[in-house]
Amino acid sequence: MSKVVEISPTTRHEGHTKLVLKINDEGIVERGDWLSLTPVRGIEKLAVGKSMHQVPKIASRVCGICPIAHTLAATEAMEASVGCYVPEDAMLLRYILQCANRLHSHALHNILSLPDMYLPGTDTKINPFTPEEPVRSVALRIQKLREVGQTVGEIVGGEAIHPSNPRVGGMYKNITPRAREKIYDLAKEALPLARDHMEFMISVFKNFQNRDTVEVGGMEVPVPDTFGFHNQGYMATAPVYGSSSLDDDPTWFPERWTEVRPWDWYMGETEIDYDEPNYPIGGTTPAGNKAWPQMEACMGVPLYDGQPVEVGPRARMVQYRNFDLKGAMGLQIARQMEYMDCIYGMMEAADALNTSGKVLADEIPQGDGTLGWAANEAPRGSDVHLVKVKDGRVRWYSLLVPTTWNFPTCSRALEGAPWQLAEVIVRAYDPCVSCATHMLVVNEDKRIVAQKLIE
Amino acid sequence: MLFREIVVVGCGNPLFADDGFGPAVVEELQKLDLPEKVKVIDGGLGGPHYLFTLMAHSDEPVKKLIVVDIADFGGKPGTLVRLTPEDLPPGSYRDVHSWNMVEPLQLLKDRVEIAIIGCQPKRVTEPNVELGLSDEVEKAIPKAVRHVLKEIGVDDGATIKVKADLGEEGTTPAQGGP
C-alpha cells in the first residue's frame, strides 16, 4: 500500500524546491514529484519593449549563481535575432569566460555533494569544513580551483559575478597580452589540481554507488544498483560552449520544444500519511498535511520531442563523448570529467586569441522581428534564450533554463530509490532554481541595531 | 586580481526594487578614483557563495570586507546602520538559497575585519519584478558611499576629495558628481 512522504524544502542546492514521494511498504519511491517553489517572476514580460542591450543585463540578474550563462545566452539570442555575426576573438573571450564559470561552478557543487558521501575505504562521511586531513587538502583544492575560475572570469568578463564585458555585437574590449599570460599561468597552475581533484571525486562517487547501504538520519538504507536511473533522452548543444540559430549547423531546434503546465504533469492533491522526524534538518513534513504538486509547482514543464530530457554534464558527455554511465553517480562522474575541458579550454582559447584583434562587429543590425535563439551550455545544462528583436527593441522573449528541463526527468529518476536518498539524486543534477530575492534580516531585538544607526 | 586588501561588496538584486541598493552603491563607488588596495565588486546575489566563501583561503589576503546591503531593522526607509557579523542573527549570510552551508561571514570574521552598511528598504517586491529604488533609498546612496569611504580610511586621499564633493551631510550630490 502506497504512502506519501514530503521533503520540503530540499537543501544543499540553489533555490527552493520540494519532493512529494509515493512510497511502497519498503520505503521505495513508486512515483516522485520534484517541483520548484520559487515563484514565477515574469521576467520575459518585463523584457518586452526594452532595448536589446539592456535585456541581457536584466537577464543576468535572474539568478545569483548563473549570471555568466544568462548573460551569454541572452546576448547571443539578441545577436541571433538581428543577424549579427561576432568577431572570432570576441567568441574566444566568451569561450574562456564559459570555461572559467564552469570550473568555478563544478568546484562549488562538490562542497554541496560531499556531505552525502563517504571517504573511500571507510564508514566516515565527509564534512567538507573539517580541519582534518585528508578532507582539508581536498577543501583547499576546491577553493583554489574556484579562485582560478573566478579570477579568469573577472579578467575576461570585467567583473567576477555579473560580467560587464560581453555586449551585443561582441565584447566591449579585448584583453591585454599580459592578461592573456595571466590566464595561461592560472590554467597551468590549476591543471594538476584539477586532475587530482577529478580522480578523487570520481573515486568518492564510485564508492557511494558500490556501497550496500548508506546512513541517512540514523537510518541505514540500501543503495540500489539502478540508483537514479531514468529512461529519458538527453539534450546538449555542444561539448563546452553552445549553439545559436546563426550557426550553419545549429544543434537545437525550437520546433522540437513544447511546454506543458505543471497541472498536466504533477500529482493532484494528496495527503501526507508518512513522516520521519529524524530525517536531516528538521524531519519530513508531518503526516496529516496536504500536498498538491499540480498547484504548487512554479514552473512550466518543457519537453523535447514530447518527452522530458536530461540536460547538463552527462547529456554533453553522452552526446559528444560516448559516455555511458547512468544513474545519479554517473551524472556526478560526468561532471568531474568536465574539469579538464575547462582548463584545456581556457588554455587553447587563450593560445588562439589575438589580443590585437577586434572584438566588436562593424555593424550591429537593429532586427526585423525574426526569431533568434541561443543555447548556452551552462554548468547545469542547456540554457536556451529565445527572442524576437525589432528596431533594436525586444518584442518577445523566453528563457528555458537548465533545471527547468531537469525537473521532470529527475522526477522519473527518483523511482526505485529509497525515499531517504531522493535528495542525493536531486543534488546530482546540481539544481539551480531561479533565485528569489536577497535580504539581510536583523533580529527581533532591535536595540543593538538601533544603537548603531548611522544616518 | 580577485581580491585586494580592502574589498567592498554590494549585495542584492536590482530586479526587486530596493533590493538593488547594494549594486547601486557599487555603481557610484566605481566612478571614484579609489586607492589601489581597494576592490569594489557588484556581488548581486552571489556574494555569499562567489566571494565570502573564497576570501578565507585566498592567496591575496583580504584585511577588510565592507558589505553594502539592505537590512530590515524596522527603521525609516533610507536609514543606514553599521553592523558587524556579531549583530546578525544566525542565517543572515549563511546563504539565501537554502544551501545549508556553514556561514561564510562567521568563518571569515576572525581573519577579516567586516563592516556591513545596511539600509532600511521601503519596498522589496520579490517575487515581482520592479526596476528602480524608492526615493528614500535612492537618497541614501551618497550617504552610503561616504560611509564606505570612511571605512576605507581617511589616509587614502579619496575620502577627503569626495567629502568635499558631497557638500553638506546627507544631501544628494550635484549632477555628475562625485
Side-chain angles (χ1 to χ4, degrees):
Chain A
M1 168 118 178
S2 294
K3 290 188 172 175
V4 175
V5 60
E6 180 185 88
I7 300 168
S8 179
T10 50
T11 57
R12 267 194 276 129
H13 62 78
E14 187 284 325
H16 304 283
T17 78
K18 72 148 104 172
L19 284 158
V20 183
L21 308 166
K22 273 190 184 163
I23 58 172
N24 67 16
D25 292 339
E26 281 75 49
I28 302 298
V29 176
E30 294 176 334
R31 176 190 171 133
D33 278 10
W34 177 44
L35 48 138
S36 166
L37 303 177
T38 305
V40 176
R41 289 173 301 182
I43 194 85
E44 285 110 328
K45 293 288 175 222
L46 176 95
V48 173
K50 302 276 189 306
S51 90
M52 63 175 167
H53 298 286
Q54 191 180 9
V55 169
K57 304 287 175 202
I58 294 171
S60 90
R61 299 281 177 177
V62 301
C63 179
I65 311 285
C66 315
I68 289 177
H70 286 305
T71 300
L72 294 177
T75 305
E76 294 191 1
M78 305 296 153
E79 290 160 353
S81 177
V82 301
C84 177
Y85 290 87
V86 170
E88 191 185 344
D89 287 314
M91 287 310 298
L92 287 169
L93 289 173
R94 290 181 183 178
Y95 193 93
I96 298 171
L97 191 54
Q98 177 88 338
C99 292
N101 179 225
R102 191 181 291 177
L103 173 66
H104 175 271
S105 186
H106 284 1
L108 185 60
H109 181 244
N110 288 161
I111 300 175
L112 303 178
S113 299
L114 280 172
D116 292 322
M117 302 294 140
Y118 292 81
L119 271 178
T122 74
D123 280 330
T124 307
K125 278 208 172 176
I126 298 174
N127 167 12
F129 300 104
T130 181
E132 287 171 23
E133 294 294 357
V135 178
R136 179 170 166 74
S137 298
V138 172
L140 289 175
R141 198 164 58 198
I142 289 174
Q143 295 297 73
K144 187 71 209 172
L145 291 170
R146 290 181 59 207
E147 194 176 345
V148 168
Q150 282 287 83
T151 308
V152 173
E154 183 187 41
I155 292 170
V156 178
E159 289 183 66
I161 298 176
H162 291 279
S164 52
N165 200 14
R167 54 158 294 166
V168 175
M171 301 289 270
Y172 279 100
K173 53 185 181 187
N174 205 332
I175 58 172
T176 62
R178 197 169 157 214
R180 184 174 70 166
E181 288 308 308
K182 178 78 183 164
I183 292 170
Y184 209 82
D185 288 349
L186 285 165
K188 268 199 293 198
E189 186 186 352
L191 188 61
L193 297 177
R195 185 175 286 116
D196 288 352
H197 191 61
M198 170 186 75
E199 287 170 1
F200 173 79
M201 292 303 299
I202 288 175
S203 72
V204 164
F205 292 125
K206 278 187 176 167
N207 173 266
F208 183 95
Q209 183 61 63
N210 291 334
R211 290 179 67 94
D212 294 329
T213 63
V214 291
E215 181 270 337
V216 182
M219 298 167 272
E220 206 61 35
V221 294
V223 182
D225 291 340
T226 55
F227 180 59
F229 277 40
H230 65 73
N231 287 319
Q232 302 304 129
Y234 298 98
M235 187 182 91
T237 61
V240 176
Y241 192 79
S243 177
S244 91
S245 50
L246 284 186
D247 289 351
D248 293 337
D249 184 16
T251 51
W252 191 79
F253 303 92
E255 60 276 14
R256 291 169 68 181
W257 155 60
T258 50
E259 200 163 32
V260 297
R261 300 170 305 166
W263 185 268
D264 302 318
W265 189 263
Y266 285 111
M267 281 186 233
E269 191 174 18
T270 182
E271 183 168 328
I272 296 158
D273 50 7
Y274 179 82
D275 58 19
E276 177 49 68
N278 290 326
Y279 186 77
I281 317 183
T284 63
T285 306
N289 282 280
K290 302 267 190 205
W292 197 350
Q294 283 176 332
M295 287 292 284
E296 293 165 325
C298 293
M299 74 282 181
V301 178
L303 307 173
Y304 205 57
D305 296 334
Q307 287 288 319
V309 286
E310 180 184 318
V311 298
R314 176 168 49 202
R316 294 189 279 261
M317 287 278 170
V318 168
Q319 211 137 317
Y320 297 100
R321 306 277 168 81
N322 298 320
F323 186 81
D324 63 355
L325 283 179
K326 295 187 74 173
M329 294 306 112
L331 175 49
Q332 290 278 24
I333 288 167
R335 180 171 295 112
Q336 314 316 311
M337 290 171 70
E338 289 196 328
Y339 273 118
M340 305 316 284
D341 283 345
C342 299
I343 308 283
Y344 284 123
M346 279 178 207
M347 292 169 110
E348 286 163 13
D351 261 345
L353 179 74
N354 173 8
T355 52
S356 306
K358 69 170 184 173
V359 291
L360 189 60
D362 291 331
E363 192 194 344
I364 302 170
Q366 294 301 295
D368 59 5
T370 303
L371 173 73
W373 58 263
N376 183 268
E377 283 299 327
R380 292 152 188 84
S382 309
D383 180 22
V384 187
H385 289 215
L386 304 98
V387 69
K388 291 177 182 173
V389 179
K390 191 172 182 205
D391 302 328
R393 300 265 155 195
V394 169
R395 302 302 164 110
W396 177 84
Y397 192 43
S398 192
L399 282 72
L400 302 169
V401 303
T403 301
T404 314
W405 291 103
N406 278 336
F407 269 116
T409 313
C410 177
S411 294
R412 291 196 166 164
L414 298 166
E415 292 169 16
W419 72 265
Q420 297 94 331
L421 297 183
E423 275 198 272
V424 179
I425 296 174
V426 163
R427 287 185 199 119
Y429 285 80
D430 188 9
C432 191
V433 187
S434 295
C435 309
T437 189
H438 173 109
M439 191 149 175
L440 192 161
V441 180
V442 176
N443 209 324
E444 283 294 304
D445 175 12
K446 293 166 189 159
R447 282 179 306 154
I448 298 171
V449 173
Q451 284 168 2
K452 298 196 176 200
L453 287 176
I454 53 180
E455 291 265 359
Chain B
M1 304 304 274
L2 194 55
F3 299 125
R4 287 184 205 146
E5 199 175 310
I6 300 176
V7 177
V8 184
V9 181
C11 295
N13 193 343
L15 296 185
F16 302 135
D18 288 341
D19 197 29
F21 177 72
V25 172
V26 161
E27 201 177 324
E28 291 305 310
L29 285 166
Q30 283 171 340
K31 294 174 188 166
L32 305 181
D33 187 17
L34 295 171
E36 267 297 299
K37 65 177 182 181
V38 179
K39 177 88 177 251
V40 180
I41 303 174
D42 176 355
L45 298 178
H49 39 271
Y50 275 111
L51 302 172
F52 302 162
T53 52
L54 273 179
M55 287 178 188
H57 301 293
S58 174
D59 291 341
E60 305 152 61
V62 178
K63 289 190 180 158
K64 183 160 188 174
L65 166 65
I66 303 160
V67 178
V68 184
D69 201 349
I70 52 169
D72 184 6
F73 50 90
K76 230 173 92 184
T79 312
L80 299 177
V81 289
R82 183 190 191 277
L83 306 167
T84 62
E86 282 79 10
D87 298 324
L88 304 177
S92 299
Y93 270 109
R94 180 164 61 196
D95 193 294
V96 290
H97 300 122
S98 67
W99 286 23
N100 191 30
M101 292 170 75
V102 175
E103 288 196 48
L105 283 194
Q106 297 300 327
L107 278 178
L108 265 185
K109 69 181 182 186
D110 296 333
R111 301 165 189 244
V112 177
E113 185 190 346
I114 300 175
I116 299 159
I117 309 288
C119 177
Q120 174 67 45
K122 184 177 186 185
R123 60 173 180 276
V124 175
T125 56
E126 185 273 331
N128 299 316
V129 173
E130 183 183 310
L131 298 179
L133 304 174
S134 63
D135 287 346
E136 292 90 333
V137 170
E138 180 95 40
K139 281 180 185 152
I141 293 173
K143 300 178 198 174
V145 167
R146 194 171 58 246
H147 285 290
V148 170
L149 294 175
K150 270 185 204 162
E151 295 288 343
I152 290 170
V154 289
D155 296 337
D156 294 312
T159 313
I160 294 158
K161 175 178 169 284
V162 171
K163 261 187 176 172
D165 286 346
L166 276 170
E168 285 199 11
E169 186 93 349
T171 56
T172 311
Q175 289 293 313

